[in-house]
Amino acid sequence: MDHLAASAKADELKGVVAAASIDADEHFIREAEKIAVALGRMFPGLCEVVLHDLRDPENAIRAIEDNLSGRQVGDSATELGLARIADPDYPSVIQNYPNRFPDGRPVKSTSIGIKNTEGEYIAALCLNLDVSVLSPVTLALSNLVATDTEHREQPLETLRDRNARELRQEVEARAAERAATPRSLSREDKKELVRQLQRDGYFDSRDAAQIIADLLGVSRATVYNYAK
């Protein structure tokens, strides 16, 4: 009699544990459902979000937000879902893999497996991004930022302020290439340096002629004569 009572008690405990496990799994899935709905509503018309209940593969789709594939709640699990059911060691996250909607539109997909405390897959959260919507935008942006290849090697201009410090550094560097200081350059070298600076746009800076004149030890008028 004691043995029968103990056996009944053990069965009762097992039932309680099993019920608790089911309740815990259901809690996980309900929380994941909130995430699925929120994500789908954040990217309307662009990203389908599907929650699969892997405990019931024949009726796996628990929630589908921003429906782009035409599937319905209660539809069966996909191949990835079945693979996770069969193998608890199957990768938890499969990210950014190519896919297609039934009508042929290209998709970028991510699948996230959700395990319970026993280490079993009980759900999967899947995101399907409709990249066909983005392709025209990508093309338009690509055309917008494209430049002609003809002038790619040598830019026609530099879009930065030719300030006094940069100008002084440039004059001193070019004089150093001739093993001299700006003031010790010959007249011909000074003339060539001024013309180089003019070609490179340094005369566009305010007071550039006066700065160059001071560095070379000549008058401003002379600088303009050299630039001719």
Side-chain angles (χ1 to χ4, degrees), residues 40-151:
R41 291 180 181 178
M42 189 172 181
F43 304 103
L46 186 62
C47 185
E48 176 186 81
V49 185
V50 186
L51 178 65
H52 297 270
D53 185 344
L54 300 183
R55 300 172 302 173
D56 184 8
E58 293 299 320
N59 304 278
I61 295 184
R62 175 73 170 258
I64 182 165
E65 193 69 28
D66 196 14
N67 192 335
L68 299 175
S69 64
R71 291 174 294 174
Q72 302 296 326
V73 170
D75 282 355
S76 60
T78 64
E79 292 85 352
L80 276 180
L82 296 176
R84 287 195 172 107
I85 293 171
D87 182 9
D89 293 327
Y90 196 86
S92 296
V93 178
I94 308 293
Q95 191 145 24
N96 297 334
Y97 59 92
N99 212 337
R100 286 194 177 275
F101 287 131
D103 61 5
R105 282 174 295 164
V107 178
K108 183 170 78 171
S109 297
T110 290
S111 178
I112 307 165
I114 300 170
K115 290 184 176 181
N116 61 13
T117 55
E118 304 298 320
E120 301 169 334
Y121 282 114
I122 57 171
L125 184 64
C126 300
L127 293 81
N128 301 309
L129 182 69
D130 184 356
V131 296
S132 70
V133 177
L134 299 176
S135 295
V137 177
T138 301
L139 179 60
L141 289 175
S142 177
N143 290 335
L144 183 63
V145 302
T147 57
D148 288 341
T149 58
E150 181 181 354
H151 305 297

Side-chain angles (χ1 to χ4, degrees), residues 167 171 194 197 203 207-218 223:
L167 181 54
V171 171
V194 168
L197 293 173
F203 275 71
D207 299 328
Q210 188 60 58
I211 294 170
I212 296 170
D214 292 342
L215 289 168
L216 297 181
V218 298
V223 170

